[in-house]
Amino acid sequence: MGAELPRRPDPKKAYLELHGGSWRVTVSVPVPARRAIGATRLVHNLETDSLKQANVLKRSHVERFKRRIAAALEIVGRPGKDDMSAAIEFSKIAHDLKRNGTQEEWTDFREAVYERHAEIRWKDSRWIKVDDPEAGPTEVEQALPEQTQKAMLFSAVSYGRATPVDMMHEDYRKQLFVKERTRADDARAMRLLKDWCKREQVPALLEEIDVKRAHAFADALVDMTGLNHVTLNKYIGRLSGYWQWMLPRAPAVTQNVFAGVAVKGPKTRHDEKERAFTDGEVADLLRGPAKPNLRDLMLIGALTGARLDAIVDLKVRDTENGCLLFKPQKRETAARYVPVHPDLVEVITRRTAGKGPDDDLFPEWPPVRKAGSMRERSFKASNRFTEYRRSVGVDEVVAGKRRSLVNFHSFRRWFSTRMERAGVPGEMISAIVGHKRSSITLDVYSEGPHMRAARRAIAKLKLPPLDGSPIKEEMGLVARGLDR
C-alpha cells in the first residue's frame, strides 16, 4: 500500500472551499490551540461565487485567523515535541502501518502529517502580488524557502524516507554503561557532526553520511574546534560506537562509516608518553609527609593496580572475603575482585572498623553533590595527590604537554610492570587489573583455583624499601599493553 503525500492543493483555492454555492475561507487550527479556540478550524463566508473575488477577499481573513491561532498558541505554549521529534514519532507509526495498516488508518495518518507539514511550511509566509492570466491581478501566499525545506524534511522523516542522524542517539546513550563525562562526550560528538552538516549544507540524515563524508568531517574538525587530535579522535570514536550500535537496528545504516576514521597528529615520542613510577618515586611518595587518607589511597593504588575513582568509591561491603570489589570502569563490563595484599590488611581493618556495610571506605572524599556536575568522585582526591606528588619532587613535565608524564595512574602502570617482573603470567595480571582480554574470572564465592592463584600472585608484589635504604631500579621490559 502506498504512503504518498496528498496532492498539493490548487494555489488558486488555497484557504478556500466552495460551500452551498459560495466560497468561504477555512484555516485549520493546530491541535495544541484547539482547546483554547474551541474549534478544529476557523471559517468565514465570503458570500461570493467568484473564485477571483474570493482570492482577493480572503487575505485579511486568513491573516486574522492566523493571528488568533498564534495568540492561542502563545497562551497554551507549544507543548511536547519539536517538529523533528514529532516526525520521528510519525515514522514509528508509519512503520507499523506498513505492516498491517488499514486504508482508513493511512488516510488519518496522511492528513495528520500534511497538517503539520503545512503548518511548518507556511510559518512566517508573506503575500505577494501576481498577475494571473485567468484571475487577473491578485495576491498569493509565498512560503519562505527555508520553511519549505523544513516541511519537506519533516514529511520525509515522517514517512520513513529519511532518518535524522540523532534519531536513535538518546536510546544509544541510555544503554551505555559509562560515566556521565563519557555520555557528555557522546552528546558533544553529535553536536559537532550536526554543526558540520549545517556548515557544509549536508542534510543531517543517516542516509547522507557515507565514508567520504565521515572523512571530510574528520578533516574539518581541527578548523572547527581548535582542539588537538587526541581529543577529536575521542569524539570520532564515540560516533563510531553509535554507528556500530545502529548497524542491526537502523535500516539506513549498512556500515560503520566512522570505522578507521581519525584526525592525524604528531606521534608521541617514547620519552613523552605517560609512564609508570620508578621504585624510587613510589618510595618517595609513600614515605613522604602524606596525610593518612592520602597514604592509604596510594597504598591501595600501588598494591591493586586500581584506578583512583574506583578506590574512592569503595564501601565497607566491598572489602569482604579478603578481597576488594572494584566497580567497572572504562571498557570493563562487570565489577571485579582483587585479593587484598598482605600489606593492605592493616589499612582495610582500620578503615572498616565500627562501620556498616554501606559506609564509605573513604568518607574524606564524598560524591559530588552539585546537580548536573560531570566531575568524578575522585576529582578532589586527584587534585590533592597532584599537589602532594609535586611537593615531594615526583614530577616529569615535557614542554608543550598539559599533563605530567606521571600521575596517580602511574601506580597502575607500576603494579603491572612489577607483577610481570615477579613472573606473574600476563593473563593473570590482566584479570587482576580488569583488562578485557583476560579469559580468567576471579570469583570469591567458590574460592576456586583462579582466585587462589591470584592471591599467590598478589603476594609476590613487594613494595620498595621505605626505610631510606638505597633503591636499585630493576632493568626489564616495559609491560606492553598493560598501561590502560
Side-chain angles (χ1 to χ4, degrees):
M1 184 177 295
E4 300 298 324
L5 280 171
R7 292 181 179 179
R8 183 180 175 183
D10 184 347
K12 297 177 184 177
K13 298 178 181 178
Y15 301 112
L16 294 175
E17 68 177 9
L18 194 60
H19 181 73
S22 179
W23 290 102
R24 66 182 185 181
V25 178
T26 176
V27 176
S28 178
V29 178
V31 174
R34 287 177 182 175
R35 186 172 181 179
I37 290 179
T40 60
R41 60 178 182 161
L42 298 174
V43 179
H44 178 81
N45 195 334
L46 296 174
E47 299 181 351
T48 179
D49 60 0
S50 166
L51 178 60
K52 179 177 179 180
Q53 292 181 23
N55 266 296
V56 173
L57 297 171
K58 72 180 180 182
R59 177 178 175 179
S60 62
H61 301 292
V62 170
E63 292 184 341
R64 174 168 58 85
F65 288 160
K66 285 190 172 184
R67 287 195 299 270
R68 184 176 172 186
I69 291 170
L73 288 173
E74 185 74 23
I75 294 172
V76 301
R78 181 81 193 194
K81 304 179 183 301
D82 58 23
D83 294 331
M84 196 48 60
S85 296
I88 291 171
E89 291 300 319
F90 274 126
S91 72
K92 295 176 182 177
I93 297 172
H95 178 74
D96 292 336
L97 291 178
K98 287 175 184 177
R99 291 184 297 181
N100 52 17
T102 65
Q103 183 65 51
E104 184 179 1
E105 288 173 327
W106 268 117
T107 299
D108 291 342
F109 176 81
R110 293 190 187 99
E111 289 179 355
V113 172
Y114 187 75
E115 181 180 273
R116 190 69 172 262
H117 171 103
E119 183 183 338
I120 297 169
R121 183 176 184 183
W122 299 106
K123 182 177 183 295
D124 299 327
S125 61
R126 57 182 181 175
W127 294 83
I128 60 171
K129 293 181 178 180
V130 297
D131 190 7
D132 191 291
E134 297 179 9
T138 187
E139 290 185 307
V140 297
E141 191 176 22
Q142 184 180 66
L144 296 175
E146 59 267 28
Q147 289 302 124
T148 299
Q149 187 176 15
K150 288 179 181 178
M152 296 304 293
L153 176 60
F154 170 83
S155 292
V157 173
S158 296
Y159 280 98
R161 297 193 296 266
T163 316
V165 291
D166 58 350
M167 180 171 174
M168 304 179 72
H169 200 235
E170 192 56 36
D171 291 336
Y172 167 70
R173 293 176 70 214
K174 286 178 181 177
Q175 59 83 44
L176 290 174
F177 195 63
V178 295
K179 297 176 182 177
E180 285 305 313
R181 184 174 296 179
T182 303
R183 294 182 196 277
D185 287 339
D186 275 290
R188 176 79 190 279
M190 180 54 65
R191 286 197 299 272
L192 287 173
L193 178 59
K194 292 172 72 174
D195 287 347
W196 177 82
C197 288
K198 184 176 181 180
R199 183 175 105 155
E200 299 299 320
Q201 296 184 336
V202 173
L205 303 171
L206 292 179
E207 292 83 357
E208 298 290 337
I209 308 299
D210 55 15
V211 173
K212 287 185 177 180
R213 281 178 170 163
H215 280 279
F217 165 71
D219 293 341
L221 279 176
V222 172
D223 179 57
M224 286 175 60
T225 67
L227 299 173
N228 64 52
H229 70 286
V230 175
T231 301
L232 295 177
N233 285 330
K234 174 180 66 175
Y235 294 137
I236 293 174
R238 300 314 304 170
L239 290 172
S240 178
Y242 174 47
W243 249 255
Q244 190 66 33
W245 179 82
M246 285 192 293
L247 267 174
R249 296 174 174 87
V253 177
T254 58
Q255 64 173 319
N256 181 356
V257 299
F258 287 97
V261 176
V263 178
K264 292 184 177 180
K267 291 184 177 180
T268 303
R269 292 171 38 184
H270 177 72
D271 58 356
E272 293 183 356
K273 293 181 179 179
E274 294 183 5
R275 59 172 177 81
F277 287 129
T278 64
D279 285 355
E281 289 171 332
V282 172
D284 288 342
L285 290 165
L286 293 177
R287 67 191 177 194
K291 291 184 178 180
N293 55 11
L294 186 55
R295 189 174 190 277
D296 291 348
L297 276 181
M298 292 189 292
L299 276 171
I300 295 177
L303 297 175
T304 66
R307 296 180 176 89
L308 179 57
D309 197 58
I311 298 173
V312 299
D313 206 48
L314 285 170
K315 294 188 178 294
V316 171
R317 64 169 178 267
D318 299 325
T319 64
E320 299 173 350
N321 303 307
C323 287
L324 295 174
L325 179 59
F326 292 109
K327 67 180 183 180
Q329 294 193 308
K330 300 290 183 179
R331 299 173 185 173
E332 299 169 16
T333 58
R336 60 188 175 85
Y337 289 98
V338 176
V340 173
H341 189 282
D343 291 344
L344 284 180
V345 173
E346 184 277 330
V347 174
I348 303 303
T349 301
R350 171 167 42 83
R351 287 203 159 263
T352 57
K355 293 182 179 179
D358 294 327
D359 290 337
D360 290 325
L361 202 65
F362 285 93
E364 299 92 339
W365 287 292
V368 178
R369 294 187 176 88
K370 185 177 180 181
S373 175
M374 289 183 290
R375 287 181 175 176
E376 298 172 353
R377 178 172 180 169
S378 59
F379 176 76
K380 289 187 177 179
S382 178
N383 286 346
R384 191 69 54 84
F385 171 74
T386 300
E387 293 171 1
Y388 170 74
R389 174 178 58 75
R390 290 170 177 167
S391 73
V392 296
V394 178
D395 203 11
E396 185 172 356
V397 178
V398 175
K401 290 187 71 70
R402 181 174 58 88
R403 286 163 53 106
S404 169
L405 300 188
V406 289
N407 45 52
F408 196 91
H409 204 80
S410 295
F411 281 123
R412 182 174 172 86
R413 299 184 179 98
W414 178 85
F415 174 90
S416 297
T417 303
R418 294 293 296 178
M419 290 283 278
E420 185 182 66
R421 292 177 186 172
V424 178
E427 196 163 15
M428 176 58 75
I429 300 173
S430 293
I432 293 173
V433 298
H435 288 169
K436 186 177 181 180
R437 71 181 191 182
S438 178
S439 62
I440 296 175
T441 300
L442 300 179
D443 191 345
V444 298
Y445 295 108
S446 61
E447 190 67 21
H450 288 325
M451 179 56 75
R452 290 195 292 271
R455 292 190 190 280
R456 292 193 296 271
I458 283 284
K460 291 181 179 181
L461 183 66
K462 305 297 180 184
L463 289 171
L466 304 179
D467 57 4
S469 57
I471 298 175
K472 183 179 180 180
E473 300 289 347
E474 292 186 24
M475 300 295 291
L477 297 175
V478 175
R480 300 288 184 188
L482 298 176
D483 60 349
R484 293 194 293 274

